[in-house]
Amino acid sequence: MTPQRIKALIESAIPHTQAIVDGDGRHFQACIISPAFGGLAALQRHRLVYAGLGGKMETEIHALSMRTYTPEEWAASRPP
Amino acid sequence: MDIMEQIKTTVHSNPIVLFMKGTPDFPQCGFSMRVAEALKSCEVAFAHVDILSQPEIRQNLPRYSNWPTFPQIFINGELIGGCDIVMELHEKGELQKMTRAAVATVTQ
């Protein structure tokens, strides 16, 4: 598994999403920005991403650390 | 008892349950260690299940909770999340409030 592949899986599973992914082949970190996260708590956001990765969480990915943002939260999280 | 029933009983008979790799004193995974340390710092009693020594729970908990990875923390029978979510709650000071409230409900 590669960060590029995880990025592609997430971005194709959830429309209009941008994922920035880094990792060593087993452990990955992702920063994910998506309008689909609007109105969802962190638990539901993570479930949405896990669903997009299908069964790969159990097999090819040992751990995926996530930070999830709506586009509005992402804009607000950075200095202007 | 059926394994799903057993999991259900475990998460409903303890106000706080941590399913982890290893034990709070001897964690076998960095993510489990971080969550166990966060819970310890809340100074509340919590139950734990070492999924490495309970392969049947390891295999079936993700199906029960609709959550694919470990650790998993349950408060009052509900999944709170994994390492990222627990650490975020901990940083905000919410974890201590939630765990203390859960324990207080039981002792009343």
Side-chain angles (χ1 to χ4, degrees):
Chain A
M1 185 52 73
T2 64
Q4 292 76 19
R5 177 100 178 101
I6 292 178
K7 174 183 169 68
L9 284 167
I10 294 171
E11 291 181 351
S12 64
I14 314 170
H16 312 295
T17 295
Q18 190 194 348
I20 303 155
V21 187
D22 193 12
D24 63 7
R26 293 279 289 157
H27 300 81
F28 299 90
Q29 305 86 42
C31 178
I32 306 162
I33 305 132
S34 175
F37 294 148
L40 299 184
L43 187 86
Q44 277 79 32
R45 293 178 180 196
H46 287 217
R47 275 192 178 135
L48 195 61
V49 176
Y50 286 143
L53 294 171
K56 293 184 173 56
M57 277 317 294
E58 295 82 13
T59 52
E60 298 172 54
I61 306 169
H62 176 69
L64 175 65
S65 178
M66 281 184 245
R67 290 202 172 263
T68 54
Y69 302 87
T70 62
E72 294 75 22
E73 289 165 353
W74 179 245
S77 74
R78 293 180 301 172
Chain B
M1 200 192 318
D2 170 67
I3 185 68
M4 297 304 248
E5 281 298 316
Q6 190 190 325
I7 291 170
K8 189 177 174 185
T9 303
T10 303
V11 302
H12 285 280
S13 56
N14 300 283
I16 307 164
V17 189
L18 171 61
F19 292 89
M20 65 181 293
K21 294 181 177 174
T23 65
D25 289 332
F26 296 99
Q28 301 294 319
C29 155
F31 300 99
S32 287
M33 180 181 75
R34 287 168 65 195
V35 171
E37 289 301 319
L39 274 178
K40 281 188 201 173
S41 77
C42 294
E43 298 179 327
V44 291
F46 63 93
H48 72 270
V49 176
D50 175 7
I51 57 144
L52 296 179
S53 65
Q54 307 229 33
E56 222 185 340
I57 291 182
R58 181 181 191 170
Q59 200 184 340
N60 288 284
L61 183 63
R63 201 155 56 88
Y64 176 86
S65 59
N66 186 20
W67 194 264
T69 58
F70 297 95
Q72 296 188 20
I73 177 175
F74 285 75
I75 297 180
N76 290 332
E78 280 196 31
L79 177 68
I80 299 304
C83 186
D84 288 335
I85 292 175
V86 171
M87 295 316 291
E88 197 181 317
L89 290 169
H90 185 47
E91 282 160 25
K92 288 181 188 162
E94 294 290 325
L95 186 66
Q96 188 170 47
K97 285 182 205 159
M98 290 165 71
T99 51
R100 290 197 172 172
V103 174
T105 315
V106 172
T107 50
Q108 268 168 16

